[in-house]
């Protein structure tokens, strides 16, 4: 699911596990953008994930995730 722009505070659902994550920060590497995702049931730092943000014709998307509000 494409959104116009990935922003902090958005909730995204992992396609494989169905677990819901919150975007805590966004940063750009040399050639790509990444989102730091934190699981809702996190205890410690083991629930953090880094996922690549891709640009499409319709906006932006996080690889392997779908926007949780639209699920």
């Amino acid at each position: 699911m494409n959104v116009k722009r990935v922003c902090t505070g958005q909730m995204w659902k992992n396609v494989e596990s169905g677990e819901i994550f919150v975007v805590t920060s966004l940063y750009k590497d040399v050639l790509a953008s990444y989102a730091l995702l934190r699981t809702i049931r996190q205890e410690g730092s083991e629930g953090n994930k880094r996922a690549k943000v891709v640009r499409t014709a319709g906006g932006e998307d996080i690889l392997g995730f779908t926007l949780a509000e639209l699920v």
Side-chain angles (χ1 to χ4, degrees):
M1 181 65 184
N2 295 346
V3 294
K4 193 169 191 175
R5 189 155 191 88
V6 175
C7 300
T8 57
Q10 288 178 334
M11 297 174 66
W12 290 77
K13 184 176 180 179
N14 189 314
V15 175
E16 292 179 8
S17 68
E19 193 171 8
I20 296 180
F21 291 83
V22 176
V23 178
T24 57
S25 65
L26 297 162
Y27 63 93
K28 293 186 182 203
D29 203 353
V30 176
L31 298 173
S33 295
Y34 293 94
L36 184 61
L37 303 163
R38 182 179 186 160
T39 183
I40 292 180
R41 297 184 218 150
Q42 181 173 350
E43 296 185 20
S45 64
E46 64 274 355
N48 288 346
K49 288 191 181 221
R50 186 180 94 161
K52 188 173 184 179
V53 176
V54 292
R55 293 184 185 180
T56 62
E60 294 182 338
D61 196 15
I62 299 178
L63 291 179
F65 290 84
T66 183
L67 195 61
E69 289 89 1
L70 301 176
V71 174

